[in-house]
Amino acid sequence: QVQVVESGGGSVQPGASLRLSCAASGRAFSSPGMAWFHQAPGKEREFVASISWSSRNKGYADSVKGRFTISRDNAKNTMYLQMNSLRPDDTAVYYCGIRRLPSYSSSMNDYDYWGQGTQVTVSS
């Protein structure tokens, strides 16, 4: 059993910053790849950013490149998403995904465990 808990969401104005965290606990697995996805009301869940176990490889959706930065601390089993220059279209529930393989992926189907999500609202 793996528990995945996201935190750090909130309501901010356009141009502000937020830092999301994803903490994993429970059954140990060796070297998971991790990712952030988001889902806006009435839309499908979409890829935001992903990171390999070693942090050497990272991927970003075009819409967040240059604004968001993904990182992880394996000693703490925690992944982060630093979100700068937030825009209203970033408003969504942000989910953390964990996969058994160490590589990163932008496909939702490649992830085995999910958290409950954290709400991010960007509005003036």
Side-chain angles (χ1 to χ4, degrees), residues 6-110:
E6 302 96 336
S7 61
S11 294
V12 297
Q13 293 188 335
S17 297
L18 281 174
R19 188 192 195 206
L20 305 184
S21 298
C22 168
S25 61
R27 183 177 72 87
F29 39 85
S30 58
S31 53
M34 301 178 76
W36 291 99
F37 289 76
H38 71 193
Q39 187 167 16
K43 294 188 176 181
E44 298 288 321
R45 191 172 298 189
E46 297 178 337
F47 169 73
V48 176
S50 60
I51 186 168
S52 64
W53 166 252
S54 67
S55 296
R56 280 199 295 266
N57 296 301
K58 302 175 184 179
Y60 295 93
D62 288 342
S63 61
V64 307
K65 282 180 182 176
R67 300 189 299 124
F68 291 10
T69 302
I70 191 170
S71 62
R72 62 191 295 167
D73 183 342
N74 291 338
K76 297 180 179 179
N77 292 328
T78 301
M79 174 180 65
Y80 306 97
L81 186 68
Q82 178 66 44
M83 305 189 296
N84 298 330
S85 303
L86 282 161
R87 309 184 309 213
D89 61 356
D90 294 318
T91 296
V93 178
Y94 283 72
Y95 295 93
C96 169
I98 299 177
R99 64 188 307 224
R100 294 186 180 93
L101 297 178
S103 54
Y104 75 107
S105 171
S106 62
S107 173
M108 195 169 60
N109 293 333
D110 287 341

